[in-house]
């Protein structure tokens, strides 16, 4: 059974490890090299339970709980007029993908967003990341923008799709 809880600083190394596991695929993140725990400290501290939560997903392995993913709401565009809009990010351990946790995360984000003053959720997804596009489409997010060839990964130009949904 999976559960979510607010992330703690002691979780940051596992959060970073899950994030870094996606870098090589060139499908999920625009980072082209792995990030360090130290480089993510400011990002971690910018996520507060009251405004921009960061959750970890845990499953019971019998011998204890294991973090298998994380979900965050991040500020969009950094200006006060956009405080009601947040970017939703979901990162799952490779063995946790395809088991419904992405849907679980989006439902959690949508249910919790109004409690932290968020009425609109955005997903920033590469055009070639078909699993994530499928997830957001399944959850009734609409394509609000397509930025053609704005990212270059290993010499290949990639599109960025912005999907949005009004949740409150």
């Amino acid at each position: 059974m999976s559960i979510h809880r607010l992330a703690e600083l002691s979780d940051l190394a596992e959060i970073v490890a899950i994030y870094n596991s996606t870098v090589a695929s060139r499908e999920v993140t625009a980072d082209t090299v792995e990030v360090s725990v130290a480089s993510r400290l400011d990002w971690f501290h910018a996520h507060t339970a009251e405004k921009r939560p960061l959750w970890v997903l845990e499953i019971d392995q019998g011998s204890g709980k294991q973090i298998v993913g994380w979900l965050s709401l991040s500020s969009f565009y950094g200006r006060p007029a956009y405080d009601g809009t947040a970017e939703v990010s979901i990162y799952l351990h490779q063995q946790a993908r395809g088991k419904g946790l992405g849907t679980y995360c989006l439902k959690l984000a949508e249910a919790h967003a109004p409690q932290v003053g968020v009425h609109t959720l955005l997903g920033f997804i590469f055009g070639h990341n078909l699993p994530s596009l499928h997830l957001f489409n399944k959850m009734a997010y609409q394509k609000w923008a397509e930025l053609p060839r704005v990212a270059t990964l290993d010499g290949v130009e990639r599109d960025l799709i912005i999907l949005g949904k009004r949740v409150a």
Side-chain angles (χ1 to χ4, degrees):
M1 170 181 238
S2 65
I3 60 164
H4 66 273
R5 64 171 173 78
L6 289 172
E8 300 170 358
L9 187 57
S10 60
D11 300 324
L12 187 55
E14 288 187 69
I15 290 168
V16 168
I18 291 168
Y19 180 84
N20 282 339
S21 74
T22 69
V23 172
S25 75
R26 302 298 194 252
E27 189 172 288
V28 181
T29 177
D31 278 314
T32 56
V33 296
E34 293 184 358
V35 300
S36 69
V37 172
S39 74
R40 300 303 283 174
L41 280 171
D42 288 344
W43 170 86
F44 179 87
H45 290 300
H47 288 86
T48 63
E50 304 79 34
K51 190 161 172 81
R52 296 294 183 257
L54 168 63
W55 295 280
V56 293
L57 301 175
E58 295 180 318
I59 58 170
D60 192 348
Q61 295 287 9
S63 60
K65 293 181 180 171
Q66 176 188 2
I67 294 175
V68 296
W70 57 270
L71 161 69
S72 67
L73 298 182
S74 299
S75 293
F76 169 72
Y77 207 57
R79 305 253 186 350
Y82 298 110
D83 282 351
T85 300
E87 177 186 354
V88 60
S89 297
I90 301 167
Y91 285 83
L92 299 173
H93 191 281
Q94 186 171 350
Q95 283 84 19
R97 296 178 196 150
K99 300 180 189 302
L101 290 175
T103 300
Y104 177 90
C105 285
L106 280 182
K107 287 180 179 179
L108 170 61
E110 292 174 15
H112 191 77
Q115 297 173 42
V116 292
V118 171
H119 54 69
T120 302
L121 292 174
L122 301 174
F124 292 74
I125 303 171
F126 284 133
H128 63 289
N129 183 345
L130 299 181
S132 291
L133 289 171
H134 174 74
L135 169 65
F136 279 73
N137 285 327
K138 178 179 83 169
M139 295 295 294
Y141 284 71
Q142 297 176 332
K143 182 177 177 180
W144 285 359
E146 180 172 352
L147 306 175
R149 302 180 328 202
V150 296
T152 303
L153 299 167
D154 298 331
V156 178
E157 292 180 327
R158 298 295 188 172
D159 301 343
L160 180 67
I161 310 297
I162 300 174
L163 298 170
K165 185 176 185 179
R166 184 80 181 206
V167 295

